[in-house]
Amino acid sequence: MTLKPSPAAALERLVVPKVDHVDLVTVKLPFVAPFGTSVYTWTHKEALLMRLESAGVTAWSECVSDPDPFYFYETNGTARHIIKDFLLPLVEPGIALGELEERFRHVRGHGMAKATIENGLLNLIALQKGQPLHELMGRPAKRIMSGISIGLKGSQAELLAAVERAMAKKYGRVKMKIKKGQDVEWVRAVRERFPDLRLMVDANGDYSLSDTALLKQLDAFDLMMVEQPLSYSDIFEHAALQKELKTAICLDESIHSLADAAAAIALGACRIINIKQGRVGGLMESMRIARFCADRGVGVWSGGMDETGIGRAVNIHLQTAEGFSLPGDTSETNIYFDEDIADPPVVLGPDGFIDIPGGPGLGVRVVPERILKRAIRWERLC
Ligand code: OSB
Ligand code: MG
């Protein structure tokens, strides 16, 4: 029997370059409108960025944590601490990225911090080689499916207007946030107005098994899936719920690794997985999870953390990997920011698809003046 090579093999073999300087830069960008979920409403993006400099080449990466631990346990503060005090000391020029990943396993969890370094090194290597990131991954270019995540709104009229705008743009699917008390009737309103819309909901863990009867009512609306209906820390109860629901469950918060994905699938806890590359520790682990799911008929898509243009570009390249079968939370830049820190912004083509930004690395240019304008903290680590 021949073992299939790891889908991340091309990346695992890459060699860590010598890095001359590492900076951590926190930027704060206003959102065009507050983004509401069942766990919190964000009015700004506060992103922890990493800047690597090597022989005159500068590569940026973005940590997908928030300043707060309301969606996920990591924060910009914990990521700074873990990167500075535990992960960076493990980075050694000349070792393979696969070996670096092994070293990182000594630190339990903190995937977002790990992914920040991995993403930065991959971007740096791609820039040095003059290759786009997807090419480094061994994946051909393709056009990427779009999708939008619509936050909780103050009224059904506002929600319907937002869905209407998304449909006019030809987004590949629309996700609407739900929470207790703002669910079945709100979904019904959208479905009645837009009978053919590819629609899904995301509860960010607001429900428990005692809400099963209510969640079953969602089966009436031909949803693509319901994302993370139950607790962020639970897999087992999702398996019990999935047995009761016709609608596919998609896990987001519960999945931190390939092992979590394997457990969830074995238990029947979901039929779809949202991969956020930061939440699972980087692009290599994302590629493994996506292939693992695809081999088992489990749908996969790329989630988002309302990233700036840096993280947004990473998510776009990632979706060239094997297994990304469903439209993700990959939306136009302008739904979050009037002015991003990177150019060009993400835009949808007339058919609702997204082109991979051309050129080496991520294919986007980080604009220094905009970083300076938005920076609230700058720390040189070496
Ligand atoms: O649950 O997918 C989520 C944003 C922040 C935290 C959690 C989530 C989200 C989104 C937005 O839904 C995704 C995006 O547009 O980037
Ligand atoms: Mg989610």
Side-chain angles (χ1 to χ4, degrees):
M1 199 183 85
T2 50
L3 272 175
K4 261 179 150 181
S6 159
L11 299 184
E12 289 159 8
R13 281 195 298 266
L14 294 169
V15 173
V16 174
K18 184 181 175 304
V19 177
D20 303 320
H21 292 292
V22 180
D23 297 275
L24 289 179
V25 183
T26 309
V27 290
K28 190 170 177 182
L29 286 76
F31 279 151
V32 296
F35 183 68
T37 72
S38 67
V39 292
Y40 193 63
T41 298
W42 288 275
T43 57
H44 286 78
K45 178 74 199 176
E46 194 178 308
L48 179 67
L49 307 178
M50 174 176 271
R51 179 185 182 276
L52 301 178
E53 203 183 304
S54 172
V57 178
T58 299
W60 289 87
S61 61
E62 174 171 354
C63 184
V64 305
S65 53
D66 286 313
D68 53 78
F70 305 144
Y71 162 77
F72 198 65
Y73 71 89
E74 292 185 79
T75 68
N76 293 344
T78 68
R80 172 186 301 279
H81 162 55
I82 296 293
I83 288 172
K84 208 161 98 172
D85 298 332
F86 294 102
L87 298 176
L88 266 188
L90 301 175
V91 178
E92 188 187 327
I95 66 168
L97 279 186
E99 159 70 13
L100 182 64
E101 209 185 14
E102 280 306 316
R103 291 186 181 188
F104 279 3
R105 284 189 210 288
H106 193 206
V107 173
R108 295 183 175 184
H110 297 282
M112 293 176 176
K114 291 171 181 172
T116 309
I117 296 180
E118 186 231 51
N119 283 202
L121 289 171
L122 288 174
N123 188 16
L124 175 61
I125 295 167
L127 289 169
Q128 288 175 334
K129 290 181 184 279
Q131 280 184 351
L133 177 58
H134 68 83
E135 222 173 273
L136 209 62
M137 293 161 60
R139 302 298 299 171
K142 66 180 232 193
R143 302 190 71 222
I144 305 301
M145 293 178 279
S146 65
I148 190 169
S149 175
I150 297 179
L152 295 170
K153 300 290 180 196
S155 70
Q156 291 187 3
E158 267 180 81
L159 172 61
L160 291 169
V163 175
E164 181 124 52
R165 282 194 297 275
M167 284 193 72
K169 279 282 186 181
K170 296 206 165 68
Y171 272 102
R173 61 96 170 114
V174 168
K175 154 166 144 184
M176 59 180 277
K177 294 287 188 180
I178 57 169
K179 67 171 182 181
K180 279 185 186 160
Q182 197 164 326
D183 41 42
V184 176
E185 292 317 311
W186 295 62
V187 178
R188 189 192 310 281
V190 172
R191 181 48 92 207
E192 275 177 1
R193 175 79 73 85
F194 306 104
D196 301 323
L197 175 66
R198 297 187 86 195
L199 180 66
M200 59 170 290
V201 297
D202 185 2
N204 287 109
D206 206 35
Y207 300 87
S208 64
L209 270 185
S210 62
D211 300 309
T212 300
L214 183 143
L215 292 166
K216 275 166 85 101
Q217 292 182 57
L218 295 174
D219 280 340
F221 304 120
D222 189 27
L223 301 177
M224 296 171 76
M225 69 198 86
V226 48
E227 182 177 346
Q228 199 73 37
L230 309 179
S231 171
Y232 69 94
S233 64
D234 179 80
I235 291 178
F236 185 67
E237 291 199 340
H238 280 98
L241 180 64
Q242 182 66 90
K243 286 190 184 68
E244 301 294 320
L245 294 189
K246 286 208 290 284
T247 308
I249 290 178
C250 168
L251 290 179
D252 171 356
E253 282 94 321
S254 296
I255 306 298
H256 304 185
S257 62
L258 177 61
D260 286 344
I265 294 168
L267 282 167
C270 63
R271 299 208 285 265
I272 298 173
I273 287 181
N274 163 347
I275 295 181
K276 290 185 182 167
Q277 62 83 21
R279 198 192 63 233
V280 302
L283 293 168
M284 296 191 283
E285 188 75 346
S286 298
M287 293 175 83
R288 293 182 200 110
I289 296 173
R291 154 87 76 77
F292 183 89
C293 290
D295 284 349
R296 285 153 187 81
V298 170
V300 166
W301 51 277
S302 161
M305 288 294 289
D306 34 64
E307 291 93 340
T308 75
I310 298 170
R312 207 166 283 273
V314 169
N315 293 341
I316 289 173
H317 283 271
L318 171 62
Q319 286 173 76
T320 61
E322 194 185 337
F324 283 83
S325 50
L326 293 163
D329 281 340
T330 314
S331 58
E332 291 197 329
T333 301
N334 64 20
I335 72 159
Y336 291 110
F337 309 112
D338 279 332
E339 184 191 76
D340 198 349
I341 50 171
D343 263 340
V346 176
V347 291
L348 268 51
D351 58 356
F353 279 73
I354 295 168
D355 288 319
I356 298 174
L362 298 177
V364 295
R365 189 180 83 91
V366 174
V367 185
E369 310 84 68
R370 297 198 201 145
I371 295 273
L372 289 173
K373 179 166 137 194
R374 303 295 185 189
I376 56 171
R377 183 168 177 183
W378 193 303
E379 185 180 9
R380 175 149 287 194
L381 301 184
C382 70

